[in-house]
């Protein structure tokens, strides 16, 4: 028996990987976050599969479902939005499965920040402008940030910053980023990336908070901060340069 932590992708049902789809089709039990995972994905599960919406369940209750499946000898597909490697809370689930000797694997998915970049039609690593992408969040109704990972510290280098779980604190976010990035730094907010109700906002640190409030965006959004969002004058990448040695 194996628990498969499957990245469901950012929202569009057709952005799940082929491997993830095949796992769904072969697991008699599927645990999914109903508030984030598209219902269409559940159609990939066997007709008689046990489907469990974990949106209102505690960690103990979720793990007990996995252990019960283990006792029955049934594989479990554990659907997480985006990619399970980032902000998915799989670490504590795997730690408990380790304690019970239950096997598991991770199946990658399309992360939300990649879907946001696609919605913006922007590369997040632009030659001569930005070659580093920071994925982070702020401590709101979640666990505290580790020492040294505060926005003020992370922003000192001016790297492109992608923030999850932060749109409902956008005013605080702006206040903390302006000292390092400046009020005219480009910002984009992508809510519901890849979904039918996808919303894209473009602006600067000076005006993005007002745009977010006017649009009524409160959740399921990615915020991208950095000069790469508007860069037009930059050197071509060395990757395809005629001067590059290809021997």
């Amino acid at each position: 028996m194996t628990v498969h932590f499957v990245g469901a992708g950012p929202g569009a049902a057709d952005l799940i990987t082929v491997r993830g789809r095949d796992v769904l089709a072969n697991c008699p039990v599927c645990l999914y976050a109903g508030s984030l995972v598209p219902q269409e994905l559940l159609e990939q599960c066997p007709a008689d599969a046990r489907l469990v919406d974990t949106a209102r369940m505690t960690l103990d209750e979720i793990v007990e479902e996995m252990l019960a499946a283990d006792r029955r000898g049934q594989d479990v597909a554990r659907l997480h939005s985006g990619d399970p490697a980032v902000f998915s809370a799989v670490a504590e689930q795997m730690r408990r499965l380790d304690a019970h000797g239950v096997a598991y694997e991770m199946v990658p998915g399309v992360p939300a920040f990649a879907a946001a970049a696609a919605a913006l039609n922007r590369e997040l690593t632009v030659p001569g402008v930005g070659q580093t992408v920071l994925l982070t969040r702020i401590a709101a109704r979640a666990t505290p940030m580790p020492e040294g990972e505060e926005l003020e510290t992370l922003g000192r280098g001016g790297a492109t910053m992608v923030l999850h779980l932060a749109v409902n604190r956008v005013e605080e976010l702006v206040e903390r980023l302006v000292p390092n990035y400046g009020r005219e730094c480009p910002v984009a907010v992508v809510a519901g990336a890849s979904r039918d109700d996808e919303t894209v906002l473009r602006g600067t640190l000076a005006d993005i908070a007002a745009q977010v409030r006017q649009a009524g965006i409160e959740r399921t959004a990615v915020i991208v901060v950095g000069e790469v969002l508007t860069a037009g004058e930059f050197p071509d990448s060395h990757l395809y340069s005629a001067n590059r040695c290809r021997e």
Side-chain angles (χ1 to χ4, degrees):
M1 178 272 180
T2 301
V3 174
H4 306 268
F5 291 98
V6 179
D14 61 350
L15 283 181
I16 192 171
T17 65
V18 174
R19 182 180 298 181
R21 181 198 63 193
D22 291 346
V23 167
L24 285 182
N26 288 285
C27 284
V29 179
C30 176
L31 308 181
Y32 66 99
S35 59
L36 297 172
V37 172
Q39 291 292 311
E40 299 96 305
L41 282 183
L42 302 181
E43 297 172 5
Q44 304 295 329
C45 298
D48 59 348
R50 175 173 171 77
L51 305 178
V52 181
D53 184 352
T54 63
R56 297 186 178 278
M57 294 173 66
T58 66
L59 175 60
D60 286 341
E61 292 169 338
I62 292 169
V63 173
E64 180 51 40
E65 282 283 350
M66 297 174 180
L67 298 180
D70 178 62
R71 292 191 290 269
R72 296 191 299 268
Q74 295 179 316
D75 281 0
V76 175
R78 174 59 169 128
L79 268 179
H80 281 273
S81 62
D83 183 292
V86 182
F87 302 124
S88 65
V90 301
E92 54 263 46
Q93 297 175 65
M94 293 189 293
R95 179 171 60 190
R96 295 193 179 205
L97 293 178
D98 282 336
H100 289 278
V102 176
Y104 55 83
E105 69 158 358
M106 291 175 65
V107 179
V110 176
F113 79 87
L120 295 166
N121 282 327
R122 302 299 302 188
E123 180 179 353
L124 298 184
T125 52
V126 177
V129 180
Q131 293 287 287
T132 301
V133 180
L134 297 172
L135 305 179
T136 189
R137 63 171 178 83
I138 61 175
R141 292 179 296 176
T143 50
M145 297 296 289
E147 184 177 354
E149 293 190 15
E150 303 84 3
L151 293 185
E152 295 81 357
T153 302
L154 295 178
R156 288 174 184 167
T160 303
M161 188 176 291
V162 178
L163 293 116
H164 296 68
L165 310 171
V167 74
N168 62 340
R169 304 285 288 274
V170 64
E171 290 86 1
E172 174 191 340
L173 176 71
V174 167
E175 182 180 347
R176 297 174 64 183
L177 291 179
V178 162
N180 284 317
Y181 289 87
R183 290 177 56 79
E184 298 308 310
C185 181
V187 182
V189 175
V190 182
S194 82
R195 303 183 185 190
D196 292 338
D197 61 349
E198 176 184 274
T199 301
V200 177
L201 305 177
R202 293 178 173 87
T204 66
L205 283 174
D207 63 21
I208 198 65
Q211 289 193 52
V212 167
R213 294 311 179 200
Q214 184 174 3
I217 298 172
E218 297 180 346
R219 61 191 299 273
T220 322
V222 172
I223 302 172
V224 185
V225 182
E227 297 295 335
V228 297
L229 291 171
T230 57
E233 298 296 327
F234 53 86
D236 292 339
S237 170
H238 183 64
L239 179 64
Y240 301 116
S241 172
N243 297 322
R244 179 185 175 195
C245 179
R246 287 178 166 78
E247 295 298 328

